[in-house]
Amino acid sequence: QVQLVESGGGLVQPGGSLRLSCKASGFPLDYYDIGWFRQAPGKEREGVSCISSNGFDTYYSDSVKGRFTISRDNAKNMVYLQMNSLKPEDTAVYYCADAFVEDGSGCPRGELQYDTWGQGTQVTVAS
């Protein structure tokens, strides 16, 4: 069964850190770009970051650039999102999703090319 499972969310104070994990099962992650997305209450889902299958290409939205770092360990079928200097506006449900590598041009910035999605993990930044 092809599946992505996120973990690592929780409640953290402003300025704190969390590391989200995305575990793939049922398929080798080597052939997939991975994206992280988030959806806050009452808002549309937005792209946060992505990483290409080989890790050479990464992307960050302007809102998280310099604070979040995406990484992957294909041997473990894992992708991570290290989130530092968290702000209340980072509060959202965070999702990982995969996109099969078509041409190796880098990870897709938009969500339409992503196929399998995880169930999400809640991140709440509040004092």
Side-chain angles (χ1 to χ4, degrees):
Q1 181 182 2
V2 175
Q3 196 174 15
L4 294 172
V5 178
E6 304 93 338
S7 61
L11 173 64
V12 64
Q13 292 187 341
S17 299
L18 283 174
R19 188 177 82 153
L20 304 184
S21 298
C22 174
K23 171 70 175 176
S25 60
F27 67 100
L29 208 53
D30 310 57
Y31 302 104
Y32 291 83
D33 301 328
I34 297 294
W36 280 100
F37 299 80
R38 68 185 182 187
Q39 187 166 23
K43 295 187 177 181
E44 292 187 355
R45 188 163 58 193
E46 63 170 338
V48 173
S49 180
C50 69
I51 186 168
S52 61
S53 58
N54 57 15
F56 289 168
D57 178 55
T58 58
Y59 159 80
Y60 300 94
S61 67
D62 288 343
S63 60
V64 307
K65 197 174 297 181
R67 300 188 297 122
F68 291 11
T69 303
I70 193 170
S71 61
R72 65 190 295 157
D73 185 340
N74 286 347
K76 296 182 178 179
N77 253 23
M78 297 287 292
V79 175
Y80 306 98
L81 187 68
Q82 178 67 43
M83 305 187 298
N84 298 329
S85 302
L86 283 161
K87 306 175 180 179
E89 50 263 45
D90 294 318
T91 295
V93 178
Y94 284 70
Y95 302 88
C96 64
D98 71 42
F100 185 75
V101 175
E102 297 286 350
D103 57 11
S105 61
C107 58
R109 276 42 172 170
E111 66 176 73
L112 291 180
Q113 291 158 277
Y114 289 89
D115 185 13
T116 303
W117 291 74
Q119 84 290 346
T121 185
Q122 176 70 47
V123 171
T124 302
V125 185
S127 53

